[in-house]
Amino acid sequence: MAKTDANQIIGTVEEQYKKLPPLPKKWNEVIVKIMPIIALVFGVLGVIGSLAAVGILTFLAPFVALGSGVGQASSGVVGALLALVSSALLLAAFPGTKAHKINGWNLLFWSETVSLVANIVAFNLGGVVGSLIGYYILFQIKPFYK
């Protein structure tokens, strides 16, 4: 995907969130301060958890298929792989968020987008709502990243 296409996607989503009321500036400052820690901790935990899930689901897939549960097994593996990608993006975002660079913020955005896709695939309504709230917070703190 070209950089301009990525910026267009971010801009389109951002237009929707500009209409919402802003968070207090102090809250944004606190969120920006702790964001690198959040990205690092959840990135590491997510990578470890999703690798374990992929391994377990891959091992159990033949047994699930015997019980006519192929759909559940394949969606579980897809969800675990999407969680792995999202977590890897969080880890990649750590240095950029620590340095307050827009590149780090962009990686947070794409991590949230992959997470949203995973929640939609899994029909997880709570996760979709969580991702939408995550976008709100991301667009609130975006001005702090250059």
Side-chain angles (χ1 to χ4, degrees):
M1 181 183 300
K3 192 170 190 149
T4 57
D5 291 340
N7 288 337
Q8 287 176 341
I9 292 170
I10 291 170
T12 302
V13 177
E14 187 172 14
E15 282 301 314
Q16 301 306 312
Y17 282 89
K18 279 185 176 179
K19 301 170 187 172
L20 298 175
L23 288 174
K25 187 175 180 180
K26 280 280 196 204
W27 291 17
N28 287 337
E29 291 170 356
V30 169
I31 294 168
V32 168
K33 189 178 283 190
I34 64 172
M35 188 55 73
I37 298 164
I38 292 171
L40 181 63
V41 169
F42 283 103
V44 168
L45 291 175
V47 166
I48 292 169
S50 56
L51 284 175
V54 168
I56 290 169
L57 290 169
T58 302
F59 172 75
L60 293 176
F63 302 109
V64 173
L66 289 174
S68 300
V70 177
Q72 290 89 358
S74 62
S75 68
V77 172
V78 169
L81 289 173
L82 288 171
L84 178 63
V85 170
S86 179
S87 300
L89 287 168
L90 281 176
L91 284 176
F94 171 72
T97 56
K98 191 171 182 181
H100 299 273
K101 297 201 179 279
I102 194 68
N103 184 32
W105 185 92
N106 286 337
L107 290 169
L108 290 175
F109 174 85
W110 292 113
S111 173
E112 194 65 44
T113 301
V114 171
S115 179
L116 176 64
V117 170
N119 287 317
I120 290 170
V121 167
F123 299 109
N124 179 0
L125 182 61
V128 170
V129 171
S131 290
L132 297 175
I133 293 169
Y135 279 137
Y136 172 72
I137 293 169
L138 279 177
F139 287 112
Q140 292 295 306
I141 64 171
K142 186 179 180 186
F144 291 85
Y145 295 91
K146 303 291 178 211

